[in-house]
Amino acid sequence: MDLLKNIFKGDKVIWIIFLMLCLISIIEVFSASSTLIYRSGNHWEPITRHLIFLMAGAGVVVLFHNIPYKWFQVFPLFLLPFSAVFLLLLLLFDNLNLGGLLVIEKVNDAGRWVRLFGFQFQPSEFAKMAVVIVTAFILSKNQGERSASPGAFKHIMIITCVICGLILPENFSTAALLAAVVFLMMIIGRVAARYLLLLSGGVVALAVAGVIFLEATKGIDNDFLHRFDTWRARVEQFVHPEQVPPEKFDINHNAQVGHARIAVASSNVLGKGPGNSVQRDFLSQAFSDFIYAIIIEELGLIGGAFVVFLYIWLLIRAGKIAQQCNRTFPAFLVLGIGLLLVVQALFNMMVAVGLAPVTGQPLPLISRGGTSTLINCVYIGMLLSVSRYTARLREQQEHDARIPLTIDGGGQPGDELMPAASEAQTAAEPTAAALNSDDEFK
């Protein structure tokens, strides 16, 4: 029992959510990997690979939740240049093979994968982590009495625009997701409203200009911006969906969307039961981008609602941990991580049920993946690390509350002892001095 307590340190609710998401992932990925089994001819290979990554991810969680949160501030120093270099290579080369040491591969007409010394990864996943951490750091170092300083907005925008600009040509949805999370973090970080309104207006103007440009370049072949046709088709299909009778619907024209909607529509309150999905055999990304449709088909509306609840619960828990912090960097960090995981999860689920255009965003901690699974486990480890820090704060406050105050100079016997709980609570509240102080782990 003591061994388990030493391993599973930190917020117990975060651990419960993490383990439940992993359990759902194992069941549903095993069920949804029928297309992979058919291609490989090996019944156990897909789920074995996924189990290996989940077990490695659990080890990553244990490792990172034992690291003091202050060391996370160092990560962007090497993650930002590392991810930027490989994102630039993805833009410059469709396919590259340097003797097997460095390989760039294009998947689904998008160059998103890099293999370095035999290890395959997505640079955008490391870029997202770096931007969230550096945004939390900049916001923590630029807090004033009433709002963040103008320098915070400028520095955050420079870093975010550079990274999102490198991600966008090959993976628009990831760039948009990261930009949205940074925007929400700036709202929480008290960036002046005029800057946020100006940014919102600029984004709307760029979106309108982008739609116009997509329509203007329709039919033009451009090798560098080869994703334009895909973006245009997805936007047009979502904005102007075809209204045809079910018996005349061409399922082969847009198989992913069609079979995902059939999976949702053919479900019921309790679903067909784990392993009984029909549409998994027709969805090429049933184990990844559209796994939520399979979850609803097999576990029903109750199972689908339960998955939503787990992610919302994770965000609420991150908010509670942030409230317990007496320093700004860990508070902004856990909120940024919580927003990143939950916004991505909600967007994936909206795509699966037809409420958003089709994108390539996996469901965090549930979809089958390599880089994304390990990076998401790093995020969980970071949340747990900060929760350990807040637990120490509570222990210190409780300890201080038990120590009586001695009053020098002639007090009456009845008024010489006062509990120190109020002073401990006051000390834990962020003041103007604390907001501008260095975030050190105590």
Side-chain angles (χ1 to χ4, degrees):
M1 197 67 181
D2 292 336
L3 178 62
L4 290 177
K5 288 182 179 179
N6 291 330
I7 295 176
F8 297 101
K9 293 179 287 189
D11 190 271
K12 299 299 186 292
V13 174
I14 299 292
W15 274 112
I16 291 172
I17 295 171
F18 170 69
L19 294 175
M20 293 186 77
L21 289 173
C22 288
L23 178 61
I24 294 172
S25 176
I26 293 170
I27 295 171
E28 294 304 318
V29 168
F30 184 55
S31 174
S33 299
S34 59
T35 55
L36 293 177
I37 294 171
Y38 178 78
R39 288 199 295 264
S40 65
N42 189 328
H43 187 76
W44 293 105
E45 191 275 334
I47 190 60
T48 300
R49 177 185 179 276
H50 186 59
L51 283 172
I52 290 173
F53 273 107
L54 283 180
M55 289 188 291
V60 167
V61 172
V62 173
L63 171 65
F64 275 81
H65 95 300
N66 282 287
I67 299 176
Y69 79 83
K70 68 175 183 178
W71 294 108
F72 300 146
Q73 301 174 67
V74 182
F75 286 14
L77 294 179
F78 56 88
L79 284 180
L80 279 175
F82 175 83
S83 56
V85 167
F86 285 106
L87 287 171
L88 186 60
L89 288 175
L90 287 175
L91 291 180
L92 297 177
F93 301 98
D94 286 343
N95 290 285
L96 179 67
N97 190 336
L98 299 180
L101 299 179
L102 174 62
V103 180
I104 291 177
E105 295 179 323
K106 184 179 292 187
V107 179
N108 295 331
D109 197 34
R112 301 176 186 177
W113 292 94
V114 171
R115 184 179 289 114
L116 182 65
F117 300 112
F119 295 97
Q120 185 172 277
F121 62 93
Q122 290 179 291
S124 59
E125 293 294 332
F126 293 100
K128 287 193 298 183
M129 176 184 291
V131 171
V132 168
I133 296 175
V134 80
T135 300
F137 179 77
I138 293 172
L139 288 172
S140 69
K141 295 300 180 182
N142 290 273
Q143 289 295 313
E145 289 288 345
R146 296 184 178 179
S147 64
S149 66
F153 178 78
K154 180 180 71 174
H155 294 141
I156 290 172
M157 287 307 300
I158 291 174
I159 294 172
T160 304
C161 287
V162 170
I163 296 299
C164 287
L166 292 173
I167 296 174
L168 188 143
E170 297 293 344
N171 198 338
F172 178 85
S173 60
T174 297
L177 171 70
L178 180 58
V181 170
V182 170
F183 183 81
L184 293 173
M185 291 181 69
M186 288 194 292
I187 294 176
I188 297 171
R190 305 192 304 171
V191 171
R194 65 180 182 275
Y195 295 122
L196 297 178
L197 290 174
L198 182 64
L199 176 61
S200 300
V203 170
V204 171
L206 284 175
V208 172
V211 172
I212 295 173
F213 184 73
L214 284 176
E215 290 300 319
T217 56
K218 195 171 184 176
I220 298 176
D221 186 16
N222 191 312
D223 292 334
F224 182 71
L225 296 174
H226 55 277
R227 297 287 292 170
F228 271 26
D229 290 338
T230 302
W231 298 347
R232 186 186 301 110
R234 288 176 176 177
V235 171
E236 289 178 349
Q237 182 183 3
F238 181 75
V239 175
H240 303 292
E242 292 184 78
Q243 300 294 332
V244 296
E247 63 274 9
K248 294 183 179 180
F249 185 82
D250 185 5
I251 195 67
N252 295 320
H253 177 65
N254 200 337
Q256 290 280 74
V257 173
H259 287 292
R261 292 181 180 177
I262 291 173
V264 174
S266 62
S267 181
N268 50 50
V269 176
L270 298 178
K272 299 176 180 178
N276 294 323
S277 170
V278 175
Q279 302 307 315
R280 65 186 178 186
D281 297 329
F282 305 98
L283 277 166
S284 61
Q285 296 297 317
F287 51 84
S288 179
D289 300 346
F290 285 91
I291 195 169
Y292 188 65
I294 305 302
I295 291 174
I296 294 179
E297 184 183 11
E298 294 190 347
L299 304 182
L301 298 179
I302 292 178
F306 180 69
V307 172
V308 175
F309 167 74
L310 287 177
Y311 287 110
I312 299 300
W313 194 15
L314 178 65
L315 182 59
I316 293 173
R317 202 64 189 177
K320 185 173 181 179
I321 294 171
Q323 283 183 328
Q324 295 170 347
C325 294
N326 69 342
R327 296 184 182 275
T328 51
F329 172 70
F332 291 139
L333 179 64
V334 295
L335 287 172
I337 291 173
L339 287 169
L340 183 64
L341 291 173
V342 175
V343 169
Q344 179 175 330
L346 292 178
F347 198 75
N348 172 280
M349 292 185 283
M350 290 171 65
V351 169
V353 299
L355 295 178
V358 177
T359 63
Q361 293 300 319
L363 192 57
L365 297 171
I366 291 184
S367 292
R368 181 179 184 270
T371 308
S372 60
T373 297
L374 296 178
I375 294 295
N376 289 330
C377 289
V378 172
Y379 291 141
I380 297 297
M382 289 179 172
L383 291 176
L384 291 168
S385 174
V386 177
S387 74
R388 291 182 59 214
Y389 160 71
T390 59
R392 288 192 181 94
L393 285 180
R394 291 195 303 273
E395 291 174 2
Q396 185 62 45
Q397 292 171 16
E398 293 171 0
H399 177 268
D400 293 343
R402 291 192 294 268
I403 301 176
L405 295 178
T406 59
I407 302 177
D408 293 333
Q412 297 297 323
D415 59 8
E416 77 275 17
L417 299 178
M418 290 289 290
S422 60
E423 290 196 4
Q425 181 178 359
T426 303
E429 295 177 354
T431 62
L435 290 173
N436 292 301
S437 64
D438 291 334
D439 285 286
E440 294 296 332
F441 185 84
K442 292 187 176 181

